Amino acid sequence: MQKLLEVIDLKTYFYAGDKIIKAVDGASFEVRRGETFGIVGESGCGKSQTCRSVLKLIRNPGKITGGRILYEGRDVVPLSNRQMRKIRGKEISAIFQEPMTSLNPIMKIRDQIYEGFKGKNMTGEQKEERAVELLRMVGIPSPKQRLNDYPHQFSGGMRQRIMIAIALGSNPKLLIADEPTTALDVTIQNQIMVLINDLKDKMGMSVILVTHDLGVIAQMCERVAVMYAGKIVEMTDTVTLFAKPRHPYTYGLMRSLPAGGGNAEKLYTIEGTIPNLAELPAGCAFAPRCQFAAEKCRRQEPKPEEAEKGHWVSCHCLNRTCGLKGLIPVLK
Amino acid sequence: MKKKFVTGKKVMTLLLSAVMIFSMTACGSEAPAEAAVDEGSTEATKEAEAGTENVSGEAAAGEMADSITIVRTADAAYLDPNAESIGGAEVMVMQQIYEGLVKSSLDGQSIEPCLASDWTISEDGLTYTFHLVPDIKFSDGTPVTGEDWEWSLLRARDTETSAYAFIAEAIDTVEATDSQVVITLKQPWAPFLADLCNFNMVVGCKAYYDKVGAEGYNKAPLGTGPYMAAEWVKDDHITLEANPYYHEAGYPKTKQIVFSVVTDDNTRLMQLQAGQADIVSEVPLSMAPVAEKDENLNFQMFDSTQQRYFILNTTKAPFDDIKVRQAFEYAVNKEELAQVIAGEYGKPAASIVSDTQGKWCDTDLQSAAYDPEKAKEMLADAGYSDGIDFTLTIRSGSDIYEQMATLIQSEAKEAGFNITIEKLESAAVSEKYENLEHQATILMWIDDIVDPSGVCGWTVDYDQCNGWYTGLNDTALDDLNTQACSELDETKRIEMYHDIQQKVHENANVLPLFSNGFAYASGKNIEGLYVSPFSVLDCKELVKTK
Amino acid sequence: MRQFNYIFKRMIQMIPVLFVISLIAFFIIRLVPGDPARLMLGEKATNDAVAAIRLKYGLDRPLPIQYLKFMRGVLHFDFGNSLKFQVPVWNLIVSRLPVTLALTFLSTAISLLISIPVGYYSGTHKGGFFDRLSNIWNLTAIAMPTFWIGLMLLIFFGIVLKILPVGGIGGGFWGHLKSFILPAFTQSLMTSALLTRNIRNAVVDIISQDFVDFARSKGISEGEIKNKHILKNAMISTVTLLSMRMAYMLGGSIIIESIFALPGIGKLTIDAIFARDYTVVQAVVFIFAIVVMVINLITDVLYSILDPRVKY
């Protein structure tokens, strides 16, 4: 399987006044053709910023301060906005978390879909045909009439589908989906997930799926990275992650999942809170909350190491399985 | 990041404003059609319409410019001599268009022939026979007929709504032919010849009035004067063109005069500095130094009949007591007032009649010198040892009135008079003193004719305006004034008027303060600028060299 | 158009309001002391002439009768004759309108030309040097007295540089344009300051919204993002502000008209008030109440067209 996207030691910092917020602090991963790659973590761990960095859509006052992002072998970090435009929407598309605010409220759906057709020589009729096709593909009823409607005339779920339609309109090779179902009802969530999967298979596309929901990871992703405080702390294929989590944080996440089937046990929580990204402690960022933390952990930052083939962990306690049984969630 | 500066919205707004300005151009050029003199355009009118775009005209070739621009504060409301509202702005323009039988001399001391070459007055003073200058034509070529004279003079008398109808009151009948005008009076009326110099006693064309109606007559006047009206853009400018049929050869010296309107004092003077205007009337004294220092400008002060007066309401306390009024005369420093307000051109005034009226003015009458101690004494003697409080009501928005009021307030304070200055809007002030609700106010007078009957009548003839809003009805004085108007012997008449001035001074209800001149600024290349004491600017003499 | 119903309803609502305004317009100027007949005649008004004028113009009739005459005229678009000038009031107003209209539109155009790019750039570079500079400039522009600015501009361009006329309306298209550029610019200062602030804040708000990022992720040009997505959304609230300012400017600016010697509505109204020219004042008040109401209606309708989320 070839590498479609390779991210090497990405650093995206935000400069607010005299503070430097290290949103992404040295993340490295790769996405292969035709695979769904998941990034999971709590809010504020840097997963969204990582996605935005790939498309270079970082908002002021943030910028990519280091690392490389190789798309099909070519580093996009030094590219200008103009050059990025050839990639955005055509090679790499993105859909965002909030469908309610991701569409221009005063622009017709039709026009917003057509925007994705820029650069292609299409007549008005061809554009309409394609737009209708896209809407049908994502399951919008009466697509031709609804082209002239405005976003506020659609429900949240439908808007998300429209976003997907727009994102897929140009047959991108990579779809970045940043928490696409978080803001939706549970019933709709599933529909959207199934839809993405279907389309991915049909179009042979890769997907980066960002979520904080381990259930979604289990359902959709082949490989997954766990992020904490701007760094990737563990990265491997999904089955291994659930069966043999090696990083204490991942372990904590797994244990926090409510066990299926009315177990009256209290929910496990990881003690403490995520650190202030502007004032990261020396050493391992998770150390303050880690029950296994040693002196070395507080002094020295652990680098990613390949514990087994394809299984990367950033922890000084690689061999400690912590005496756990692997957890395989009931969802599938 | 490339920014598109030209968006649809901006283009739209620019287009809209362009449309607006175009429409203005269209509207602006409609005005000549409105104010066109008559349908049968003469050569001159055609030239006028071609030249209307060029307001600050530069001469094409030759030494002298074709057009002179005079700027003033207000536009004329009417150009009909018998309209309701005639003030300085109207007179300035009408004087160039209309003429009468006689006119005041430039120095304001005598009466000269105008459209009448000579005249005789009957022994009893009731019949005036004027011999007309032959072949006078209106500016459209129509000859002036006897009917025109009869119609014009009777109209001056009979238009009830005219502000100056009273000037022609004495006329009983008018009989005119093409060569002479005979006017019979109801009673002997000494000021009559002077009255005939007034701006509403001019000749107009009856046939023209019948044709265009009252509105047309007002908008596009037809007269015999050196100029005719060519274009009138309300509140912006009036353009006058030379009358091709004018009866004095070689006049007017400049083909076109433009009277333009700029209310702001600064802007007016700046137009002069920029060369956009040639003559500026009503230059505030505070700006005189600007004009004097600029070597391209001339500043001139012309002698005038303009005087300022302190009006005391005798129907209310405290000025119902004549002793208080007489004491007040010593509480005012006329020298200081004259100097501060009018600079080197101001003179303290003792009599209600301006000294520019020459023999009519009682020059023996002296102003009381400023003596606050004496005033205090007089007040104490009259029983007011605590001093007097009163309110001085003046109009707001006028630097001159404010200055005068403030000065008088501080001067009078020393003398035991505590003055509260009340500033009201112009209309409110006039309503107040017309209803005699004020205690004191400051007013102004400019004569229109070479005769003291104007200001004296105004002060003393109670019916006209309640004794110049003092409420003092001195019937003896009133009678004396009436007699003086019928007294044909000039020596006797002069004596009577000196008497009147003396008595007014004794009544102390109207206190003359000071006189000031008419301030004008002009470009150095302007010659022939002269303003008579009656505020008449004779445009036919104006010349602008390049 | 879905708004027809709404427009119709609003116009019906205007009628009672107009009635109240006509009463106000009629009575307010008559309640102020001052007699138009006397004012017409000037300082040398004799009692007889005053009486004659009052009779001629019906000023001696009882007030309710005069009011009825006014209202009857209004229904025929006839506002009577100006007391001072004796020409139809309607003609007077219409003859002054082009000056005020030209000034209003030119100022608006200048304001937009300045405020849109400045507001946009400040908004997208919030906190930067330009943003802070333009903020200071805006505050200064609002605080500076119009009178002073106007005079300074006239001195500089009219006397020192001698490239623009000192006041007046000029003649011909270019003459008019040259005469209007300074007063329009002076008048635009306040409006452009307000607009710039408004646009800047709206832009700041909008660029932080997801749809801008989403649009960008489609790979469309920055220009299109700026115009179709950011500015179009930002201008919605600006439209309201702009129309309020325009309504204000249409009432004429007495200061601008005085300094630049422009015969516009402002000067007409002020002169009419001072002269107690009842017919002109009541007509102006009435007509401009209508103008403001119509502008408000247009604004609301425009808003609903621009923002499809708004329901009428």
Side-chain angles (χ1 to χ4, degrees), chain A residues 2-38:
Chain A
Q2 292 164 305
K3 286 188 262 199
L4 183 62
L5 181 78
E6 191 174 352
V7 176
I8 302 170
D9 200 29
L10 174 66
K11 291 192 173 75
T12 302
Y13 293 172
F14 283 74
Y15 299 88
D18 47 356
K19 283 208 273 238
I20 302 178
I21 300 174
K22 300 182 180 173
V24 185
D25 196 16
S28 304
F29 62 94
E30 61 183 49
V31 179
R32 299 170 192 156
R33 286 188 202 275
E35 82 166 338
T36 303
F37 181 81

Side-chain angles (χ1 to χ4, degrees), chain B residues 443-500:
Chain B
L443 291 174
M444 187 254 301
W445 179 271
I446 304 182
D447 283 312
D448 297 306
I449 54 177
V450 190
D451 201 270
S453 59
V455 67
C456 287
W458 198 248
T459 312
V460 155
D461 181 341
Y462 194 72
D463 290 328
Q464 282 204 23
C465 58
N466 306 335
W468 207 346
Y469 311 118
T470 61
L472 184 65
N473 192 357
D474 185 335
T475 42
L477 207 45
D478 201 335
D479 289 338
L480 181 56
N481 181 58
T482 316
Q483 278 173 39
C485 287
S486 328
E487 180 53 69
L488 297 174
D489 180 328
E490 192 174 89
T491 327
K492 284 213 193 110
R493 202 167 167 246
I494 292 177
E495 226 186 277
M496 290 166 113
Y497 278 111
H498 285 204
D499 229 2
I500 292 176

Side-chain angles (χ1 to χ4, degrees), chain A residues 155-183:
Chain A
S155 71
M158 300 246 256
R159 284 192 229 188
Q160 191 64 290
R161 289 168 191 262
I162 295 173
M163 268 225 285
I164 294 172
I166 295 177
L168 298 181
S170 52
N171 283 339
K173 297 202 180 94
L174 173 63
L175 173 69
I176 302 180
D178 187 353
E179 308 227 34
T181 55
T182 306

